[in-house]
Amino acid sequence: MVDVTSRIVIEETRYEVATFAADPDNAPLWYVNIKSVEWKTSRPLTVGSRVAFKANFLGRQLVYTYEIKSYLPGEYLVMRTAEGPFPMETFYEWHSVSDHSCEMILRNAGKPSGFSRLLTPFMEMAMRRANKKDLQRLKSIIEKKLLTKTKFK
């Protein structure tokens, strides 16, 4: 079992952080490994939405589709792979730290099978490192306001 939880405090309101982070179209901006996104269902993001991601991870190109299992805007988002190399769930949680700062928690949990199972310890370490970079990138984008407020849908 792979289970990696990372967290970061971002100096912006919970609403702004959650709105930006939960939008799949923004994933390639802050996820280092995600290269593109394709909606398999129509927008907006709701329970049951399906979104395909193309990513590079551990030297391989991966294509996987997430289905949104649970979503309460500004509070949490839970998505599970519907198609892809191995079953994975991704959890986002947002908590206000103050009126102008938010803690974001990013958790990935899954059970590799087949050959991937042998690489579980290495995969967990690589995921932990990638998640930390991703959250740092998200923090940088949001805090520096590199994107205009219109990007915060």
Side-chain angles (χ1 to χ4, degrees):
M1 179 80 173
V2 174
D3 195 342
V4 175
T5 301
S6 304
R7 54 187 74 224
I8 197 163
V9 174
I10 299 173
E11 298 301 319
E12 184 56 88
T13 66
R14 184 176 74 202
Y15 172 81
E16 294 287 355
V17 173
T19 299
F20 184 82
D23 184 344
D25 291 320
N26 291 331
L29 299 174
W30 66 277
Y31 272 102
V32 174
N33 295 321
I34 294 179
K35 303 306 174 195
S36 66
V37 175
E38 179 185 351
W39 285 79
K40 297 294 187 176
T41 55
S42 60
R43 291 173 178 84
L45 190 71
T46 60
V47 172
S49 293
R50 293 170 54 102
V51 182
F53 297 92
K54 286 185 184 175
N56 294 327
F57 186 68
L58 298 177
R60 294 179 50 206
Q61 185 176 44
L62 305 174
V63 178
Y64 52 93
T65 301
Y66 269 115
E67 182 173 338
I68 305 307
K69 292 298 183 183
S70 184
Y71 182 42
L72 181 58
E75 300 285 334
Y76 59 84
L77 170 65
V78 179
M79 45 191 162
R80 183 177 302 140
T81 52
E83 300 169 13
F86 67 88
M88 178 70 68
E89 283 189 321
T90 298
F91 306 82
Y92 297 165
E93 288 181 51
W94 302 280
H95 304 281
S96 293
V97 174
S98 71
D99 288 345
H100 300 288
S101 63
C102 166
E103 177 184 49
M104 179 168 168
I105 300 169
L106 169 60
R107 179 175 172 232
N108 294 107
K111 191 169 186 176
S113 60
F115 181 72
S116 296
R117 187 179 54 202
L118 300 174
L119 301 174
T120 298
F122 181 68
M123 288 176 67
E124 188 163 338
M125 187 173 58
M127 286 173 64
R128 189 173 313 283
R129 192 170 43 248
N131 285 359
K132 185 176 180 180
K133 284 182 185 178
D134 295 337
L135 288 175
Q136 284 292 338
R137 195 174 195 180
L138 177 66
K139 176 181 176 78
S140 178
I141 288 169
I142 291 175
E143 288 183 357
K144 292 180 181 177
K145 306 276 193 273
L146 295 177
L147 301 174
T148 64
K149 286 287 189 179
T150 59
K151 279 287 191 183
F152 293 79
K153 298 174 187 162

